[in-house]
Amino acid sequence: MNHDRTSNQNIPSQAWKRPIGLGWDNPYTVRYASNLDDGPWHGMPLGGFGAGCIGRSPRGDFNLWHIDGGEHIFRNLPACQFSVFEETKGKKQAYALCTQAPTDGSLSSWKWYPNEGRRKKEEGRRKEAEEGNRNRKGGIWEEEDAKWEEDEGTEDLNSSGTYYALYPRSWFVYENVFEAQLNCEQFSPILPNNYQESSYPVAMFEWVAHNPTDAPITLSIMLTWQNTVGWFTNANKSTEVKVRDDGSPVYDYQPRWEESGGNLNLLVEDFHRIGCVMTRLSASEEAKEGEGQWAIATITNPAVEVFYQTRWNPAGNGEDIWKHFSREGFLLDDKDETAAAAGEQLACAIAVRFTIRPGKTRKIPFFLAWDFPITEFASGVEYYRRYTDFFGRNGKNAWPMIRTAMKHSDTWRESIEAWQKPILERQDLSNSFKMALFNELYALTDGGTLWTAADERDPKGQFAVLECIDYRWYESLDVRLYGSFALLMLWPDLEKSVILAFARSISAGDNTPRVIGWNQASAIRKAVGATPHDLGAPNEHPWEKTNYTSYQDCNLWKDLPCDFVLQVYRDFLLTGSTDFDFLQECWPAIVEALAYLKTFDKDGDGIPENSGAPDQTFDDWQMQGISAYCGGLWLAALEGAIAIGSILENAAPEVIPHPQEQVALYHIWLEKARPNYQEKLWNGRYYRLDSESNSEVVMADQLCGQFYAKLLGLPDIVPPECAVSALETVYESCFLKFNDGEFGAANGVMLNGAPENPNATHPLEVWTGINFGLAAFLVQLGMQEKAFKLTDAVVKQIYENGLQFRTPEAITAGGTFRASHYLRAMAIWAIYGVLTGFK
């Protein structure tokens, strides 16, 4: 019996894989107790951008619930599950397809899927029989021994199956438990350059069942789902913001978990479709946050039997549904629309039973949709989600989504395959790189993503992804300098919408005083002309109230205005150099941002100085005077602004401030700054951290400005031979000499790879996104082999140590991580972009 031959033929070999239910011996753990650590049981998320998403782990449980915009709930709902009944040659068995039984005592009558296959199972049974029958002859011992001999002739049956993931598709292949070969593919219609279907809150589950035996097999596949309408909204309406022990602002989120009173389930039969809609009694025609519907469905045809049960108790022992399913694979066809009383829980189920003749295969599809059209931020601040532009806004459209998914799911999957195929077929890329390239896109689904309905100003809506779950604010500008390449390359209109939101916010001010977490000083929230660090948080009003973070005073940061200018020019240049309206709308903000930053050039040498406080993306790392990192970004940003101004002089000469005057000014600043940067920072081998601290540390990202200048076809900010020398030094010291290159490149170490300060935080961390940015720089300078050696080291740490689908900002050589679900890791697309010339 070889399950791989048939079951796995359509699964790309590049997909990440793990045995179903196999735990981790020594997964990474969180560095700071206050940070989020959900453990390693994360799988690929399902759902459209900004529609809310769910996640299903490699042990088979649905355990991630990002249904409320910007909020994170990680817990298993056991009643949300697939189960399989099988009968062949007079033998029957049934399992719920998760390897972990509920820990709260619910569903105790259910049988849960084993995480080891028949061989280990039979080995255990043989040992038990041997212990109990040492002095017996015949009977049980002979029966067990015969069974063991039968299994001895088969392949190694230790595994009960394998989970595979290549975003936006994932697969469960079930082996060595059922006689049938079974796999389930699950996906949502995430498609590049698609601004409609990519927003849909739908998930498809296509089962493929094959009979490799010489006897008929009867199977029944059941999908159960708990009615959670009303749960996903904050019960705590307090506006209080606290400061966590690491200095980050936090607020309390209390979902209305298990508040199911008034919920009810409806059977829907519609031509060849059948399913259950989970909804709630409501007197209002207008939905509020948390109100809406779930729906599950399948397709009927003469070759299968479909059963249903619209109401059963997921908080009980589960016998009300398991009794009949586990014995014969059917449900009672009970249509009960009684609403749940206060404190009561309810769930529904559909099952498809069919028989497969020897050698035959059958496909059985299931569909899941949810419709929660409103995201509320601060009380009364509400936005419709993007998908409501296509399905309406009353929260009663789960079934129309099901119909749409049934009609188009095959086309969607073919489109996903066509998108991925050219990349997967490239011979110059490793399978691990291809795997991570696609799987790191998971953050666009599960990053607390917002995507609003369209309006006249934003014809494709507004979009935003959290920096991470721990730092819960949107689109941190310094982080997305690397982390936004995926969005730029695949959904450029969404990328530009983010940059336009920053452009609109620069001239705004907010004098609200706040305590700065790093040093307890007081500072205003947002200075007029300062480039904001972020676009706000889920508990306030994103896009309107910016600069949510208060760990540092971001009005003093020296990289943010440069990051803004460079991303504007990048987004224009790498999307065809034709969107002059985009440049024109950003131009006044560019002029204001650079003028504001120039005020920090206290000595008049043309370069703003770092102040000694951590005033850039490495916000625990102090720099003094001109820094290689911020100074280089300044030079590149001036070049970018000159290029933008020159374009606008020809395309839109009437724009204010007048491009010609600004270009002339930026030339003056640049001519003064460039020689000072080289003279004060170049030490003959690499660029010093800064001009005043006397540090000899090798900073990994010292030449981010040069990377961007070359990326955008701007003049080099440093001599090319100096860039090569510096990057080779970073590779040797920060990567190869830091723990023998096992973890990736540390942010900053001495030439010999040792720490400058053993107690430092950021310098001794390996930042995933910065490493991918460095790899892109290595490719840019012709060091492709080194680039992929560095990349593969980081990818290995993430995907072999339980960090998959929660990629952190930072890992350490001690096996700890910080800030999971991090935005910057999507910088892996910068590597592919540089490699292909962004084509």
Side-chain angles (χ1 to χ4, degrees):
M1 174 169 38
N2 187 340
H3 285 207
D4 281 348
R5 197 166 295 151
T6 300
S7 301
N8 301 6
Q9 62 185 358
N10 295 319
I11 301 176
S13 60
Q14 298 85 358
W16 182 75
K17 64 180 181 179
R18 189 166 184 85
I20 292 172
L22 177 66
W24 283 259
D25 292 333
N26 190 28
Y28 271 81
T29 55
V30 77
R31 183 174 188 183
Y32 301 117
S34 60
N35 270 206
L36 176 73
D37 189 355
D38 289 322
W41 289 106
H42 282 265
M44 193 202 77
L46 294 160
F49 297 167
C53 77
I54 58 176
R56 191 181 182 200
S57 88
R59 65 186 173 198
D61 54 329
F62 289 90
N63 60 7
L64 180 77
W65 306 93
H66 283 192
I67 302 300
D68 187 354
E71 308 300 345
H72 173 78
I73 299 173
F74 186 83
R75 58 189 295 178
N76 179 16
L77 272 180
C80 297
Q81 190 52 258
F82 280 102
S83 302
V84 170
F85 164 87
E86 180 185 67
E87 180 179 6
T88 185
K89 295 181 179 179
K91 293 166 52 180
K92 300 177 183 180
Q93 58 178 338
Y95 292 101
L97 298 182
C98 176
T99 59
Q100 179 177 328
T103 56
D104 61 0
S106 65
L107 308 186
S108 57
S109 70
W110 292 26
K111 193 172 184 180
W112 298 86
Y113 193 69
N115 59 7
E116 295 172 342
R118 273 198 294 274
R119 180 165 186 166
K120 282 196 172 180
K121 213 165 54 171
E122 295 303 337
E123 187 176 24
R125 287 167 58 191
R126 178 178 177 175
K127 287 181 178 178
E128 286 179 15
E130 189 175 2
E131 288 294 321
N133 297 281
R134 286 186 190 280
N135 301 318
R136 290 178 56 188
K137 301 213 184 257
I140 295 174
W141 168 247
E142 289 184 353
E143 181 180 322
E144 293 290 337
D145 195 51
K147 177 64 179 171
W148 175 251
E149 293 298 330
E150 177 186 325
D151 276 347
E152 277 287 277
T154 67
E155 64 195 270
D156 183 11
L157 303 182
N158 287 356
S159 169
S160 63
T162 307
Y163 171 81
Y164 299 83
L166 192 71
Y167 180 91
R169 303 163 72 201
S170 55
W171 299 260
F172 286 87
V173 176
Y174 300 96
E175 302 170 293
N176 309 320
V177 173
F178 300 109
E179 293 299 319
Q181 296 175 359
L182 288 172
N183 75 30
C184 177
E185 177 183 354
Q186 48 191 34
F187 69 97
S188 295
I190 304 300
L191 303 165
N193 291 297
N194 178 296
Y195 300 95
Q196 180 169 333
E197 285 89 345
S198 295
S199 74
Y200 287 0
V202 296
M204 278 62 69
F205 304 86
E206 182 169 276
W207 284 83
V208 179
H210 175 73
N211 183 351
T213 74
D214 59 2
I217 299 176
T218 295
L219 292 166
S220 183
I221 303 173
M222 176 172 68
L223 174 57
T224 52
W225 207 261
Q226 187 161 354
N227 187 330
T228 60
V229 172
W231 293 18
F232 301 105
T233 184
N234 197 352
N236 180 7
K237 296 300 183 182
S238 170
T239 58
E240 181 183 9
V241 176
K242 303 174 183 177
V243 177
R244 198 168 56 197
D245 59 4
D246 66 354
S248 297
V250 293
Y251 61 90
D252 186 39
Y253 180 72
Q254 297 175 10
R256 296 188 179 275
W257 197 258
E258 296 185 341
E259 293 186 21
S260 300
N263 286 5
L264 69 155
N265 300 336
L266 310 173
L267 179 71
V268 181
E269 294 182 273
D270 177 6
F271 297 102
H272 56 283
R273 300 175 282 261
I274 186 169
C276 294
V277 170
M278 291 153 272
T279 187
R280 166 172 280 190
L281 295 171
S282 175
S284 173
E285 282 300 311
E286 292 189 10
K288 296 294 183 182
E289 183 182 68
E291 296 178 356
Q293 296 179 337
W294 293 90
I296 58 173
T298 188
I299 294 172
T300 61
N301 69 63
V304 303
E305 300 173 275
V306 180
F307 305 95
Y308 59 86
Q309 200 155 325
T310 62
R311 199 180 200 281
W312 62 277
N313 178 17
N317 65 10
E319 188 173 351
D320 49 348
I321 197 165
W322 195 253
K323 177 180 178 181
H324 300 288
F325 179 77
S326 62
R327 290 179 183 174
E328 300 293 340
F330 77 94
L331 302 174
L332 293 175
D333 285 354
D334 182 18
K335 185 168 67 172
D336 185 344
E337 299 179 359
T338 307
E344 188 180 15
Q345 300 301 312
L346 77 161
C348 59
I350 52 175
V352 179
R353 187 170 67 181
F354 53 97
T355 298
I356 322 176
R357 299 193 308 275
K360 299 299 183 180
T361 301
R362 183 170 294 281
K363 294 182 179 181
I364 304 294
F366 287 85
F367 302 85
L368 171 69
W370 56 97
D371 180 17
F372 297 95
I374 295 284
T375 294
E376 183 180 46
F377 303 116
S379 182
V381 178
E382 297 180 341
Y383 282 79
Y384 287 109
R385 288 173 152 150
R386 168 63 170 171
Y387 76 83
T388 65
D389 288 338
F390 314 107
F391 286 105
R393 298 177 175 178
N394 61 7
K396 300 176 181 178
N397 293 289
W399 194 254
M401 293 178 194
I402 291 284
R403 291 201 303 263
T404 299
M406 287 184 178
K407 182 177 181 180
H408 296 290
S409 60
D410 287 346
T411 301
W412 292 340
R413 181 177 48 228
E414 290 166 5
S415 298
I416 293 169
E417 292 172 345
W419 158 39
Q420 294 184 336
K421 184 179 179 182
I423 297 175
L424 297 181
E425 289 181 344
R426 287 185 68 119
Q427 298 300 307
D428 58 335
L429 303 175
S430 69
N431 280 353
S432 66
F433 177 79
K434 297 171 190 174
M435 177 276 294
L437 187 70
F438 288 109
N439 280 338
E440 288 304 320
L441 295 173
Y442 82 96
L444 293 174
T445 295
D446 98 340
T449 311
L450 305 179
W451 190 1
T452 69
D455 59 24
E456 188 173 344
R457 187 184 69 164
D458 296 291
K460 289 188 175 71
Q462 290 185 281
F463 184 85
V465 175
L466 294 174
E467 178 174 333
C468 66
I469 308 297
D470 282 305
Y471 313 145
R472 204 160 17 155
W473 40 84
Y474 283 101
E475 292 293 348
S476 300
L477 189 60
D478 55 317
V479 175
R480 72 185 325 279
L481 184 67
Y482 282 137
S484 60
F485 276 94
L487 198 63
L488 167 68
M489 295 170 67
L490 300 171
W491 292 275
D493 289 356
L494 298 184
E495 163 61 25
K496 289 179 182 177
S497 79
V498 175
I499 294 302
L500 285 172
F502 276 101
R504 294 162 184 163
S505 67
I506 286 173
S507 62
D510 184 343
N511 291 327
T512 305
R514 300 190 299 179
V515 174
I516 300 304
W518 184 70
N519 60 4
Q520 303 303 300
S522 179
I524 64 169
R525 176 162 177 161
K526 168 70 170 68
V528 172
T531 304
H533 168 272
D534 55 76
L535 293 176
N539 64 317
E540 291 190 342
H541 191 169
W543 303 294
E544 299 299 324
K545 288 181 69 68
T546 63
N547 258 9
Y548 186 81
T549 183
S550 59
Y551 179 62
Q552 294 288 356
D553 180 2
C554 293
N555 297 299
L556 305 179
W557 280 27
K558 308 308 185 297
D559 52 350
L560 294 173
C562 306
D563 297 344
F564 171 67
V565 175
L566 290 170
Q567 288 176 70
V568 170
Y569 189 46
R570 180 200 66 180
D571 292 359
F572 170 79
L573 194 68
L574 299 184
T575 58
S577 302
T578 57
D579 193 350
F580 300 107
D581 289 342
F582 170 72
L583 275 194
Q584 195 167 343
E585 187 168 350
C586 292
W587 175 249
I590 289 172
V591 173
E592 191 171 11
L594 291 178
Y596 178 89
L597 181 54
K598 186 62 167 62
T599 65
F600 293 97
D601 177 18
K602 304 299 184 183
D603 60 5
D605 66 354
I607 306 177
E609 293 87 38
N610 293 87
S611 65
D615 52 4
Q616 27 64 42
T617 195
F618 303 93
D619 57 1
D620 255 352
W621 197 356
Q622 295 169 264
M623 300 175 190
Q624 186 74 48
I626 298 173
S627 68
Y629 179 71
C630 295
L633 287 171
W634 169 252
L635 296 178
L638 289 178
E639 291 183 348
I642 289 169
I644 293 169
S646 300
I647 291 168
L648 290 176
E649 177 63 28
N650 295 319
E654 72 286 352
V655 72
I656 303 297
H658 197 274
Q660 191 174 33
E661 296 172 6
Q662 295 303 134
V663 166
L665 178 63
Y666 298 151
H667 270 298
I668 293 171
W669 292 355
L670 183 61
E671 288 169 9
K672 179 178 279 191
R674 193 192 303 273
N676 284 325
Y677 182 87
Q678 184 73 10
E679 178 186 337
K680 294 183 179 181
L681 296 176
W682 178 246
N683 68 3
R685 186 169 179 183
Y686 61 94
Y687 288 86
R688 297 184 182 93
L689 178 70
D690 58 41
S691 61
E692 295 184 17
S693 70
N694 298 315
S695 171
E696 294 299 320
V697 73
V698 179
M699 183 186 189
D701 206 23
Q702 59 186 266
L703 284 183
C704 180
Q706 171 64 16
F707 166 74
Y708 253 89
K710 194 169 182 65
L711 176 75
L712 303 181
L714 300 168
D716 291 317
I717 66 168
V718 298
E721 64 274 14
C722 295
V724 170
S725 174
L727 192 55
E728 288 180 336
T729 302
V730 166
Y731 184 83
E732 293 289 330
S733 298
C734 297
F735 175 43
L736 296 182
K737 293 180 180 178
F738 178 74
N739 288 274
D740 297 321
E742 181 181 354
F743 295 93
N747 281 327
V749 293
M750 304 303 286
L751 273 172
N752 64 358
E756 181 183 44
N757 172 8
N759 297 318
T761 53
H762 288 180
L764 298 181
E765 290 180 330
V766 173
W767 285 13
T768 55
I770 295 296
N771 271 253
F772 295 149
L774 278 174
F777 196 6
L778 285 162
V779 172
Q780 191 184 70
L781 294 190
M783 298 182 239
Q784 191 167 318
E785 184 177 343
K786 292 179 178 178
F788 285 107
K789 185 173 181 179
L790 174 62
T791 302
D792 287 345
V794 176
V795 168
K796 181 178 180 180
Q797 291 300 321
I798 300 306
Y799 285 91
E800 293 187 4
N801 292 289
L803 293 174
Q804 75 290 335
F805 301 108
R806 56 170 186 152
T807 308
E809 160 79 316
I811 59 175
T812 72
T816 64
F817 72 89
R818 180 174 58 80
S820 58
H821 302 261
Y822 207 75
L823 167 61
R824 188 155 21 205
M826 283 188 287
I828 194 168
W829 279 85
I831 303 171
Y832 185 71
V834 172
L835 189 69
T836 60
F838 292 89
K839 295 176 183 175

